[in-house]
Amino acid sequence: MKNIFFIFLITISFFKSVFADDEMWLPVILQQLNMSDYQSRGLKLTAEDIYSINNSSLKDAIVLFGGGCTAAVVSEEGLIITNHHCGYSQIQANSTVEKNYLKDGFWAANHNEELQAKGLTVTFLIRIENVTQQVLAGVTSDMNETQRGKKVDEAIKKIETEAIKNTHYIAKVKPFSYGNEYYLFVSEVFKDIRLVGAPPESIGKFGGEDDNWVWPRHNGDFCFFRIYANAENKPAEYSANNVPYKPKKSITISSKGIKKDDFTIVLGYPGRTSEYLTSYGIEMLSKYEDPSKTKIRELRLSIMDEYMKTSEKVYLRYASRYAGVANGWKKWLGENNGIKKYDVIGTKKQLEQRFIQWANENKNRKKTYGNLLNEFETTYKKLTPLNQAYNYYSEIITAIEIFKYVSGFSNLITKSYDKSISKEEINKITEQYKTDAKKFFANYNKSYDKKMFEALIKLYYEGPDKSVRPEVLEDINIKFNCNFKTYTEYVFENSFLTSEEKVLKFLNKYNHSKASKVLNDPLFSLSAKLNDNYYENILPSLQELNVKIDSLQRIYFRGLCEMQPEKKLYPDANLTMRVNFGKVDDYYPYDAVHYLYFTTLDGVMEKEDTSKKGFSVPEKLKILYKNKDYGKYGVNGIMPVCFIASNHTAGGNSGSPVLNGEGRLIGLNFDRSWEGTMSDVMYDSRICRNVVVDARYILFIIDKFAGANNLLNEMKITEN
Ligand code: ARG
Ligand code: GLU
């Protein structure tokens, strides 16, 4: 029976592809597609130019930057370009109040001035291989999900081990389309990465959170890093002896500029899309998940906002975290607007009706697919409250700083009750706890965290469905009559874990018998009960139901392919390299409103507002504007800044190079338009646009604003 998978594979391969903007292909698939459709739209490259394992190809110049952004190699000396917001935490980590690179920007004049980006990695893709047959070789149709999972995991482990024998590479096999296909990715990870250049926030994050996810945009969202390697050009830990990496391929930058309908290619690492969700899945997302998460984050942001205003030091410490929290909040808000406005549920329901009709047309299909959507419905019914419990737990537990700190004490407690652990060992552990305490309290602001605690615990009590409210919160109702202020006062007053002095005193005199003091601490006990509730009452069923949904989606995807043999359905994004084709395009977001496809420096000046965070313009940029001193990058006295295109991108595509038909870099992807943020669940070519900073603006800032000639000399720049 195992061959049903193989037959399916053959049927979905070798289709003629009819150009559609929503596709996101694995580069290795391009060989199987009929590229002439893309070529007739402006693609001048062959599949081999984009992905080749024998020759250097574009894929060798695209890297995964850290764990969730993309970057492009732009010089023979390992220079990479990515978004300012992708390098943000590294710029922050290298900044102090005296040397504030977020505020003032940073430009290394030579290699010696480049700053170590601790913890940052850059990953190159060596090769991709379709390993579906090997992975599914032991799977038969009579297996249940657990048996299937076991077989699949065993096969994957074997493939991964074999693939990198005697190399320094890493290997990962990932499922595609819910396990209908599997691909192997062999990669090389570099660990010595250094910060090379970044504009000030007033350029790199112009428009701040107000403009985030919004078009029209005026943001110079770019910065540069460099990859360092050992003398053999191989990855190595940071060392002063390392040298700039010599890449297999680097991308040429084009200052030619863009016009409407120009062909665009985005190559990068989109993290996650869910294009094949059913109406039931969308309903859970739009009625429960998005609204709960946005509500929690809104509250969290308002409290952070207030605290960050207190000093530059605090601002610096929280800037990157704030940007991350705000980014998710706004994205989910936009996504939900789009789901409603473009009736995503209705559209999915229509498709499901067609599917049911098609499934009932013959006996075999009816057997495989006839009951599928009913099963989705009943599974989502069970999943929805648990999913809600998960969202509340994960959003709240991470927002309250003291929770993370106190939960660290579990290790000490467990070890203290373990008779096999010696006194000496316990002493060693407590020494470590003392160091951790000093580190934690150096940056801990009790009154800020207390505010966060009170607001979020209240929401945790009031927000989710009663059936999944953690029992420990009921106690607050019983003992404190839902007065969260009094409860917060009580917890913070009576816990010794909120004071460095008390914690150190406790640790100084610690022995096995003192463990109960931690267990009885009101903060520790609350945190432990919330964790236990999640791990014992929520997570197991949640996992089980998610596995069930996955298995249903696997069958549904296969059915959708069978139902529409003329189409080749692309697999959802899963943080693997994808190529997306599109074109420079305007759009009509609202009745009577037309958005042009590009913005200019005039718009930066229009938006200038020193009373609003994110809308100050650096003096030097104003002078350049006044004198129209744009060098060769301006067009008839106008300086282009950003543009939009119809490429289907997702979170992770930040920092992806946007290339023209010849494969030259015409811009850097950094965002999506507000009206189209629902593209993760349904791409709609009428309103979904990716937002790109124009290569000409990047060059202008490097040249005229920063005077970083070293970078200009290093990159290959062409006017074509
Ligand atoms: N929305 C963009 C992305 O999803 C940019 C985020 C960073 N910018 C910000 N203002 N928070 O990642
Ligand atoms: N800003 C996003 C990121 O960090 C890219 C935009 C998107 O989500 O499409 O990856």
Side-chain angles (χ1 to χ4, degrees):
M1 279 310 279
K2 67 186 177 197
N3 285 339
I4 58 166
F5 298 104
F6 189 47
I7 293 162
F8 163 69
L9 278 183
I10 293 184
T11 51
I12 69 161
S13 298
F14 307 106
F15 279 102
K16 178 185 181 317
S17 167
V18 179
F19 184 92
D21 283 343
D22 65 333
E23 299 160 345
M24 24 173 83
W25 299 118
L26 268 177
V28 70
I29 291 290
L30 297 177
Q31 315 270 2
Q32 295 172 20
L33 299 176
N34 181 344
M35 299 288 278
S36 62
D37 196 40
Y38 302 121
Q39 278 148 354
S40 72
R41 309 249 178 163
L43 177 66
K44 301 278 190 309
L45 306 170
T46 62
E48 182 80 3
D49 292 332
I50 299 173
Y51 177 89
S52 165
I53 37 172
N54 302 317
N55 303 307
S56 76
S57 57
L58 272 175
K59 74 117 168 83
D60 298 315
I62 311 298
V63 295
L64 177 66
F65 181 86
C69 275
T70 306
V73 181
V74 285
S75 91
E76 300 297 320
E77 294 277 294
L79 184 72
I80 53 174
I81 185 169
T82 186
N83 289 144
H84 184 267
H85 80 260
C86 294
Y88 199 77
S89 61
Q90 291 296 343
I91 307 170
Q92 172 192 353
N94 274 296
S95 293
T96 58
V97 173
E98 294 75 34
K99 276 192 187 163
N100 190 338
Y101 302 133
L102 281 181
K103 194 163 138 214
D104 305 324
F106 171 78
W107 304 97
N110 52 51
H111 292 350
N112 287 335
E113 285 183 16
E114 294 169 1
L115 300 169
Q116 189 186 352
K118 284 189 194 139
L120 180 64
T121 57
V122 156
T123 306
F124 281 90
L125 175 64
I126 304 296
R127 66 187 172 90
I128 310 176
E129 199 183 313
N130 187 337
V131 290
T132 314
Q133 268 183 280
Q134 292 99 296
V135 172
L136 297 180
V139 173
T140 52
S141 56
D142 52 356
M143 285 181 173
N144 65 27
E145 278 304 302
T146 319
Q147 292 163 328
R148 182 189 189 276
K150 212 170 141 240
K151 276 274 173 243
V152 165
D153 287 348
E154 280 166 15
I156 286 181
K157 211 172 251 156
K158 207 166 139 225
I159 296 168
E160 287 176 344
T161 316
E162 293 276 309
I164 51 170
K165 238 185 205 158
N166 306 322
T167 71
H168 63 281
Y169 296 149
I170 58 162
K172 184 103 198 98
V173 171
K174 288 198 170 193
F176 284 70
S177 309
Y178 305 93
N180 278 305
E181 289 192 283
Y182 289 84
Y183 283 86
L184 162 71
F185 296 83
V186 175
S187 326
E188 185 177 33
V189 183
F190 284 82
K191 295 174 182 158
D192 184 354
I193 315 297
R194 304 186 197 170
L195 175 63
V196 174
E201 258 190 305
S202 49
I203 290 174
K205 201 182 168 177
F206 183 78
E209 301 304 331
D210 292 84
D211 270 11
N212 193 20
W213 294 109
V214 166
W215 180 255
R217 200 62 162 277
H218 298 87
N219 183 351
D221 198 347
F222 72 92
C223 65
F224 290 94
F225 285 78
R226 191 183 304 284
I227 305 165
Y228 277 78
N230 65 16
E232 283 83 52
N233 206 32
K234 297 257 165 61
E237 294 298 332
Y238 175 85
S239 156
N241 298 329
N242 286 346
V243 290
Y245 168 71
K246 297 262 174 288
K248 288 189 211 144
K249 169 97 187 165
S250 71
I251 294 178
T252 301
I253 299 178
S254 165
S255 63
K256 185 177 167 199
I258 47 99
K259 56 183 188 328
K260 188 166 148 38
D261 295 329
D262 277 356
F263 188 75
T264 50
I265 312 167
V266 172
L267 261 160
Y269 278 89
R272 191 189 156 104
T273 58
S274 313
E275 304 296 326
Y276 306 100
L277 279 187
T278 58
S279 58
Y280 308 105
I282 304 280
E283 208 162 314
M284 180 171 91
L285 180 72
S286 95
K287 290 208 174 122
Y288 299 97
E289 187 162 337
D290 279 347
S292 324
K293 290 197 299 192
T294 44
K295 194 156 78 185
I296 300 167
R297 290 215 173 175
E298 197 162 282
L299 196 56
R300 182 174 174 189
L301 286 168
S302 69
I303 297 167
M304 285 181 93
D305 227 359
E306 216 177 290
Y307 181 43
M308 282 169 73
K309 280 185 200 141
T310 55
S311 80
E312 196 174 332
K313 198 167 156 218
V314 173
Y315 175 84
L316 254 180
R317 200 165 64 234
Y318 283 86
S320 179
R321 194 181 314 167
Y322 186 90
V325 176
N327 196 43
W329 160 72
K330 202 161 175 186
K331 150 86 198 296
W332 300 321
L333 216 61
E335 176 172 88
N336 218 2
N337 282 345
I339 288 176
K340 286 181 191 141
K341 181 165 174 190
Y342 293 92
D343 190 22
V344 177
I345 295 181
T347 312
K348 297 278 177 190
K349 279 213 155 84
Q350 267 176 21
L351 178 69
E352 286 156 19
Q353 278 314 319
R354 254 181 74 203
F355 185 81
I356 292 169
Q357 222 170 31
W358 169 84
N360 285 329
E361 273 167 16
N362 80 42
K363 224 174 170 180
N364 267 348
R365 277 190 217 152
K366 198 169 171 177
K367 196 165 152 235
T368 318
Y369 302 117
N371 200 32
L372 197 59
L373 286 152
N374 290 336
E375 281 200 66
F376 268 115
E377 186 175 10
T378 45
T379 315
Y380 271 110
K381 237 182 216 135
K382 291 184 210 151
L383 181 64
T384 299
L386 293 166
N387 175 266
Q388 212 188 10
Y390 162 72
N391 289 322
Y392 272 87
Y393 170 77
S394 61
E395 285 291 321
I396 287 174
I397 213 89
T398 44
I400 299 168
E401 291 176 14
I402 198 74
F403 272 159
K404 182 152 183 252
Y405 178 64
V406 301
S407 60
F409 276 80
S410 326
N411 183 34
L412 179 64
I413 311 299
T414 318
K415 296 252 161 75
S416 300
Y417 282 109
D418 184 341
K419 297 227 163 61
S420 69
I421 307 256
S422 69
K423 224 170 139 183
E424 288 68 41
E425 253 175 277
I426 294 285
N427 282 345
K428 230 163 121 193
I429 298 172
T430 48
E431 282 312 308
Q432 183 56 46
Y433 272 65
K434 282 186 218 167
T435 317
D436 293 347
K438 284 177 199 150
K439 226 157 104 195
F440 173 75
F441 285 106
N443 287 324
Y444 183 62
N445 184 307
K446 191 164 153 180
S447 72
Y448 155 72
D449 206 32
K450 234 169 111 175
K451 253 191 212 149
M452 194 68 92
F453 179 96
E454 183 186 331
L456 292 189
I457 292 294
K458 182 167 188 283
L459 197 58
Y460 204 169
Y461 180 82
E462 293 169 350
D465 194 274
K466 267 199 197 111
S467 66
V468 289
R469 181 190 291 160
E471 211 175 299
V472 55
L473 299 182
E474 293 295 353
D475 290 353
I476 309 176
N477 179 14
I478 297 163
K479 295 190 189 134
F480 294 86
N481 201 14
C482 280
N483 187 330
F484 291 90
K485 192 163 187 58
T486 323
Y487 173 67
T488 305
E489 286 302 333
Y490 163 80
V491 171
F492 276 74
E493 275 317 299
N494 288 287
S495 168
F496 76 96
L497 293 165
T498 57
S499 140
E500 179 176 4
E501 200 192 325
K502 286 183 189 164
V503 169
L504 289 178
K505 208 167 135 197
F506 171 75
L507 291 171
N508 279 333
K509 290 195 200 141
Y510 191 78
N511 64 46
H512 288 73
S513 66
K514 303 258 169 72
S516 60
K517 182 161 183 206
V518 179
L519 285 179
N520 294 329
D521 183 273
L523 249 178
F524 181 84
S525 133
L526 173 67
S527 144
K529 282 180 185 158
L530 288 175
N531 288 334
D532 289 350
N533 174 61
Y534 174 69
Y535 285 103
E536 284 161 23
N537 302 335
I538 308 293
L539 190 63
S541 327
L542 188 69
Q543 275 171 339
E544 199 179 302
L545 290 166
N546 277 329
V547 168
K548 172 81 184 164
I549 295 277
D550 244 36
S551 73
L552 296 175
Q553 288 278 176
R554 189 185 317 134
I555 302 168
Y556 187 47
F557 184 86
R558 205 187 305 153
L560 287 174
C561 290
E562 259 182 64
M563 180 175 94
Q564 311 163 88
E566 73 291 355
K567 271 192 185 173
K568 179 164 166 58
L569 301 186
Y570 63 92
D572 269 317
N574 58 357
L575 207 64
T576 53
M577 193 189 287
R578 300 298 174 96
V579 48
N580 316 345
F581 300 118
K583 62 176 183 187
V584 173
D585 206 1
D586 51 7
Y587 71 111
Y588 295 81
Y590 310 102
D591 188 29
V593 180
H594 178 198
Y595 279 158
L596 287 186
Y597 62 92
F598 68 97
T599 58
T600 70
L601 201 55
D602 294 31
V604 173
M605 296 314 303
E606 255 170 35
K607 281 182 178 173
E608 186 193 21
D609 181 350
T610 47
S611 69
K612 246 168 70 191
K613 181 132 196 42
F615 290 90
S616 299
V617 180
E619 269 326 299
K620 185 150 182 206
L621 190 57
K622 282 198 236 180
I623 297 169
L624 292 168
Y625 174 73
K626 205 169 136 222
N627 299 333
K628 302 270 172 277
D629 186 4
Y630 303 147
K632 53 186 170 200
Y633 315 109
V635 188
N636 304 327
I638 286 169
M639 185 65 233
V641 175
C642 292
F643 67 87
I644 44 175
S646 61
N647 303 78
H648 183 187
T649 51
N653 266 129
S654 276
S656 298
V658 180
L659 310 173
N660 62 13
E662 283 89 14
R664 298 193 183 123
L665 191 146
I666 49 174
L668 203 59
N669 192 73
F670 72 96
D671 211 355
R672 266 176 284 167
S673 61
W674 180 243
E675 298 75 17
T677 40
M678 91 293 188
S679 64
D680 284 350
V681 292
M682 195 181 87
Y683 176 92
D684 185 325
S685 61
R686 288 170 299 173
I687 36 108
C688 292
R689 296 289 176 269
N690 55 322
V691 181
V692 184
V693 51
D694 195 305
R696 290 169 293 180
Y697 190 55
I698 298 176
L699 294 171
F700 159 74
I701 295 292
I702 304 174
D703 186 347
K704 294 284 176 177
F705 179 83
N709 289 327
N710 52 330
L711 292 183
L712 292 176
N713 294 336
E714 190 182 337
M715 296 187 287
K716 273 183 279 174
I717 302 165
T718 162
E719 284 173 24
N720 298 306

